[in-house]
mmCIF file of all heavy atoms in Angstrom:
data_model
loop_
_atom_site.group_PDB
_atom_site.id
_atom_site.type_symbol
_atom_site.label_atom_id
_atom_site.label_comp_id
_atom_site.label_asym_id
_atom_site.label_seq_id
_atom_site.Cartn_x
_atom_site.Cartn_y
_atom_site.Cartn_z
ATOM 1 N N GLU A 294 -4.680 4.670 33.456
ATOM 2 C CA GLU A 294 -5.534 5.857 33.362
ATOM 3 C C GLU A 294 -4.796 7.142 33.720
ATOM 4 O O GLU A 294 -4.962 8.160 33.049
ATOM 5 C CB GLU A 294 -6.762 5.696 34.255
ATOM 6 C CG GLU A 294 -7.764 4.714 33.707
ATOM 7 C CD GLU A 294 -9.006 4.610 34.575
ATOM 8 O OE1 GLU A 294 -9.286 5.532 35.363
ATOM 9 O OE2 GLU A 294 -9.696 3.588 34.444
ATOM 10 N N GLU A 295 -3.989 7.124 34.767
ATOM 11 C CA GLU A 295 -3.286 8.339 35.177
ATOM 12 C C GLU A 295 -2.303 8.797 34.101
ATOM 13 O O GLU A 295 -2.207 9.989 33.797
ATOM 14 C CB GLU A 295 -2.546 8.121 36.495
ATOM 15 C CG GLU A 295 -1.894 9.388 37.004
ATOM 16 C CD GLU A 295 -1.255 9.241 38.371
ATOM 17 O OE1 GLU A 295 -1.482 8.231 39.065
ATOM 18 O OE2 GLU A 295 -0.495 10.155 38.734
ATOM 19 N N LEU A 296 -1.581 7.855 33.501
ATOM 20 C CA LEU A 296 -0.649 8.202 32.436
ATOM 21 C C LEU A 296 -1.389 8.733 31.216
ATOM 22 O O LEU A 296 -0.981 9.740 30.613
ATOM 23 C CB LEU A 296 0.213 6.989 32.054
ATOM 24 C CG LEU A 296 1.227 7.197 30.942
ATOM 25 C CD1 LEU A 296 2.191 8.333 31.268
ATOM 26 C CD2 LEU A 296 1.992 5.896 30.688
ATOM 27 N N LEU A 297 -2.501 8.102 30.859
ATOM 28 C CA LEU A 297 -3.293 8.569 29.721
ATOM 29 C C LEU A 297 -3.824 9.976 29.979
ATOM 30 O O LEU A 297 -3.820 10.825 29.082
ATOM 31 C CB LEU A 297 -4.440 7.607 29.426
ATOM 32 C CG LEU A 297 -5.312 7.952 28.225
ATOM 33 C CD1 LEU A 297 -4.485 8.092 26.949
ATOM 34 C CD2 LEU A 297 -6.416 6.926 28.059
ATOM 35 N N PHE A 298 -4.248 10.246 31.187
ATOM 36 C CA PHE A 298 -4.714 11.586 31.544
ATOM 37 C C PHE A 298 -3.613 12.606 31.306
ATOM 38 O O PHE A 298 -3.836 13.667 30.719
ATOM 39 C CB PHE A 298 -5.159 11.611 33.013
ATOM 40 C CG PHE A 298 -5.542 12.975 33.502
ATOM 41 C CD1 PHE A 298 -6.795 13.502 33.211
ATOM 42 C CD2 PHE A 298 -4.659 13.739 34.236
ATOM 43 C CE1 PHE A 298 -7.159 14.777 33.648
ATOM 44 C CE2 PHE A 298 -5.002 15.008 34.681
ATOM 45 C CZ PHE A 298 -6.253 15.535 34.388
ATOM 46 N N LYS A 299 -2.392 12.281 31.735
ATOM 47 C CA LYS A 299 -1.263 13.198 31.561
ATOM 48 C C LYS A 299 -0.911 13.378 30.087
ATOM 49 O O LYS A 299 -0.595 14.483 29.648
ATOM 50 C CB LYS A 299 -0.052 12.700 32.349
ATOM 51 C CG LYS A 299 -0.263 12.811 33.853
ATOM 52 C CD LYS A 299 0.909 12.270 34.621
ATOM 53 C CE LYS A 299 0.663 12.382 36.123
ATOM 54 N NZ LYS A 299 1.811 11.912 36.890
ATOM 55 N N ILE A 300 -0.981 12.305 29.328
ATOM 56 C CA ILE A 300 -0.717 12.390 27.886
ATOM 57 C C ILE A 300 -1.746 13.288 27.216
ATOM 58 O O ILE A 300 -1.408 14.125 26.376
ATOM 59 C CB ILE A 300 -0.697 10.983 27.243
ATOM 60 C CG1 ILE A 300 0.547 10.222 27.696
ATOM 61 C CG2 ILE A 300 -0.766 11.082 25.715
ATOM 62 C CD1 ILE A 300 0.544 8.759 27.335
ATOM 63 N N LYS A 301 -3.002 13.138 27.623
ATOM 64 C CA LYS A 301 -4.048 13.985 27.048
ATOM 65 C C LYS A 301 -3.839 15.450 27.407
ATOM 66 O O LYS A 301 -4.093 16.336 26.585
ATOM 67 C CB LYS A 301 -5.427 13.505 27.512
ATOM 68 C CG LYS A 301 -5.853 12.217 26.844
ATOM 69 C CD LYS A 301 -7.209 11.768 27.345
ATOM 70 C CE LYS A 301 -7.660 10.504 26.624
ATOM 71 N NZ LYS A 301 -8.983 10.043 27.101
ATOM 72 N N LYS A 302 -3.374 15.732 28.610
ATOM 73 C CA LYS A 302 -3.088 17.113 29.008
ATOM 74 C C LYS A 302 -1.936 17.679 28.175
ATOM 75 O O LYS A 302 -1.990 18.809 27.720
ATOM 76 C CB LYS A 302 -2.761 17.203 30.498
ATOM 77 C CG LYS A 302 -3.959 17.046 31.384
ATOM 78 C CD LYS A 302 -4.930 18.176 31.112
ATOM 79 C CE LYS A 302 -6.195 18.023 31.890
ATOM 80 N NZ LYS A 302 -7.227 18.980 31.494
ATOM 81 N N LEU A 303 -0.873 16.886 28.002
ATOM 82 C CA LEU A 303 0.239 17.324 27.152
ATOM 83 C C LEU A 303 -0.238 17.574 25.723
ATOM 84 O O LEU A 303 0.152 18.568 25.094
ATOM 85 C CB LEU A 303 1.351 16.272 27.143
ATOM 86 C CG LEU A 303 2.186 16.155 28.416
ATOM 87 C CD1 LEU A 303 3.046 14.906 28.360
ATOM 88 C CD2 LEU A 303 3.035 17.399 28.597
ATOM 89 N N ALA A 304 -1.075 16.675 25.215
ATOM 90 C CA ALA A 304 -1.602 16.820 23.857
ATOM 91 C C ALA A 304 -2.388 18.120 23.728
ATOM 92 O O ALA A 304 -2.221 18.873 22.759
ATOM 93 C CB ALA A 304 -2.483 15.625 23.510
ATOM 94 N N GLU A 305 -3.220 18.389 24.702
ATOM 95 C CA GLU A 305 -4.012 19.620 24.691
ATOM 96 C C GLU A 305 -3.094 20.846 24.700
ATOM 97 O O GLU A 305 -3.304 21.797 23.940
ATOM 98 C CB GLU A 305 -4.920 19.628 25.922
ATOM 99 C CG GLU A 305 -5.868 20.788 26.001
ATOM 100 C CD GLU A 305 -6.734 20.721 27.247
ATOM 101 O OE1 GLU A 305 -7.081 19.606 27.690
ATOM 102 O OE2 GLU A 305 -7.048 21.794 27.779
ATOM 103 N N MET A 306 -2.072 20.827 25.539
ATOM 104 C CA MET A 306 -1.122 21.944 25.624
ATOM 105 C C MET A 306 -0.379 22.147 24.306
ATOM 106 O O MET A 306 -0.011 23.271 23.960
ATOM 107 C CB MET A 306 -0.125 21.691 26.756
ATOM 108 C CG MET A 306 -0.736 21.767 28.131
ATOM 109 S SD MET A 306 0.305 21.083 29.452
ATOM 110 C CE MET A 306 1.870 21.849 29.150
ATOM 111 N N ASN A 307 -0.147 21.058 23.575
ATOM 112 C CA ASN A 307 0.601 21.103 22.316
ATOM 113 C C ASN A 307 -0.295 21.130 21.083
ATOM 114 O O ASN A 307 0.195 20.985 19.955
ATOM 115 C CB ASN A 307 1.565 19.913 22.247
ATOM 116 C CG ASN A 307 2.681 20.040 23.247
ATOM 117 O OD1 ASN A 307 3.411 21.023 23.241
ATOM 118 N ND2 ASN A 307 2.805 19.068 24.127
ATOM 119 N N LYS A 308 -1.608 21.263 21.311
ATOM 120 C CA LYS A 308 -2.586 21.314 20.221
ATOM 121 C C LYS A 308 -2.479 20.101 19.294
ATOM 122 O O LYS A 308 -2.456 20.220 18.066
ATOM 123 C CB LYS A 308 -2.457 22.620 19.446
ATOM 124 C CG LYS A 308 -2.744 23.851 20.288
ATOM 125 C CD LYS A 308 -2.634 25.107 19.484
ATOM 126 C CE LYS A 308 -2.896 26.389 20.207
ATOM 127 N NZ LYS A 308 -3.097 26.488 21.573
ATOM 128 N N ARG A 309 -2.376 18.921 19.939
ATOM 129 C CA ARG A 309 -2.317 17.658 19.204
ATOM 130 C C ARG A 309 -3.419 16.743 19.743
ATOM 131 O O ARG A 309 -3.884 16.917 20.857
ATOM 132 C CB ARG A 309 -1.001 16.920 19.458
ATOM 133 C CG ARG A 309 0.233 17.573 18.956
ATOM 134 C CD ARG A 309 1.422 16.629 19.187
ATOM 135 N NE ARG A 309 2.639 17.236 18.715
ATOM 136 C CZ ARG A 309 3.618 17.680 19.478
ATOM 137 N NH1 ARG A 309 3.554 17.562 20.785
ATOM 138 N NH2 ARG A 309 4.689 18.228 18.949
ATOM 139 N N SER A 310 -3.731 15.722 18.974
ATOM 140 C CA SER A 310 -4.586 14.660 19.510
ATOM 141 C C SER A 310 -3.735 13.813 20.448
ATOM 142 O O SER A 310 -2.496 13.848 20.387
ATOM 143 C CB SER A 310 -5.123 13.791 18.371
ATOM 144 O OG SER A 310 -4.067 13.060 17.758
ATOM 145 N N ALA A 311 -4.390 13.050 21.304
ATOM 146 C CA ALA A 311 -3.650 12.157 22.195
ATOM 147 C C ALA A 311 -2.841 11.155 21.377
ATOM 148 O O ALA A 311 -1.700 10.833 21.715
ATOM 149 C CB ALA A 311 -4.610 11.442 23.145
ATOM 150 N N ASN A 312 -3.415 10.681 20.281
ATOM 151 C CA ASN A 312 -2.716 9.732 19.420
ATOM 152 C C ASN A 312 -1.426 10.345 18.856
ATOM 153 O O ASN A 312 -0.368 9.713 18.876
ATOM 154 C CB ASN A 312 -3.631 9.291 18.279
ATOM 155 C CG ASN A 312 -3.023 8.189 17.456
ATOM 156 O OD1 ASN A 312 -2.885 7.075 17.937
ATOM 157 N ND2 ASN A 312 -2.660 8.493 16.218
ATOM 158 N N LYS A 313 -1.521 11.579 18.359
ATOM 159 C CA LYS A 313 -0.336 12.244 17.811
ATOM 160 C C LYS A 313 0.683 12.548 18.906
ATOM 161 O O LYS A 313 1.885 12.543 18.656
ATOM 162 C CB LYS A 313 -0.726 13.534 17.070
ATOM 163 C CG LYS A 313 -1.298 13.281 15.698
ATOM 164 C CD LYS A 313 -0.239 12.672 14.797
ATOM 165 C CE LYS A 313 -0.722 12.506 13.391
ATOM 166 N NZ LYS A 313 0.266 11.815 12.557
ATOM 167 N N GLN A 314 0.210 12.818 20.125
ATOM 168 C CA GLN A 314 1.129 13.059 21.232
ATOM 169 C C GLN A 314 1.920 11.793 21.539
ATOM 170 O O GLN A 314 3.134 11.846 21.735
ATOM 171 C CB GLN A 314 0.376 13.542 22.479
ATOM 172 C CG GLN A 314 1.276 13.944 23.621
ATOM 173 C CD GLN A 314 2.102 15.183 23.333
ATOM 174 O OE1 GLN A 314 1.656 16.098 22.661
ATOM 175 N NE2 GLN A 314 3.310 15.235 23.856
ATOM 176 N N VAL A 315 1.244 10.652 21.571
ATOM 177 C CA VAL A 315 1.932 9.379 21.809
ATOM 178 C C VAL A 315 2.929 9.111 20.691
ATOM 179 O O VAL A 315 4.069 8.704 20.942
ATOM 180 C CB VAL A 315 0.923 8.218 21.953
ATOM 181 C CG1 VAL A 315 1.629 6.871 21.952
ATOM 182 C CG2 VAL A 315 0.091 8.390 23.218
ATOM 183 N N GLU A 316 2.530 9.363 19.451
ATOM 184 C CA GLU A 316 3.438 9.181 18.310
ATOM 185 C C GLU A 316 4.673 10.075 18.472
ATOM 186 O O GLU A 316 5.808 9.622 18.262
ATOM 187 C CB GLU A 316 2.699 9.525 17.017
ATOM 188 C CG GLU A 316 3.499 9.290 15.767
ATOM 189 C CD GLU A 316 2.722 9.630 14.500
ATOM 190 O OE1 GLU A 316 1.479 9.622 14.511
ATOM 191 O OE2 GLU A 316 3.390 9.928 13.490
ATOM 192 N N TYR A 317 4.472 11.327 18.865
ATOM 193 C CA TYR A 317 5.579 12.255 19.071
ATOM 194 C C TYR A 317 6.519 11.751 20.172
ATOM 195 O O TYR A 317 7.740 11.758 20.010
ATOM 196 C CB TYR A 317 5.028 13.642 19.433
ATOM 197 C CG TYR A 317 6.093 14.636 19.808
ATOM 198 C CD1 TYR A 317 6.860 15.264 18.829
ATOM 199 C CD2 TYR A 317 6.352 14.938 21.138
ATOM 200 C CE1 TYR A 317 7.843 16.184 19.168
ATOM 201 C CE2 TYR A 317 7.335 15.845 21.490
ATOM 202 C CZ TYR A 317 8.080 16.463 20.511
ATOM 203 O OH TYR A 317 9.063 17.354 20.851
#
Side-chain angles (χ1 to χ4, degrees):
E294 287 182 21
E295 184 175 348
L296 179 57
L297 182 56
F298 175 80
K299 291 178 181 182
I300 290 169
K301 287 179 178 180
K302 286 297 176 189
L303 287 169
E305 184 180 327
M306 291 166 49
N307 291 303
K308 298 181 180 7
R309 294 185 180 109
S310 67
N312 187 69
K313 282 295 185 185
Q314 186 67 35
V315 170
E316 184 179 336
Y317 174 78

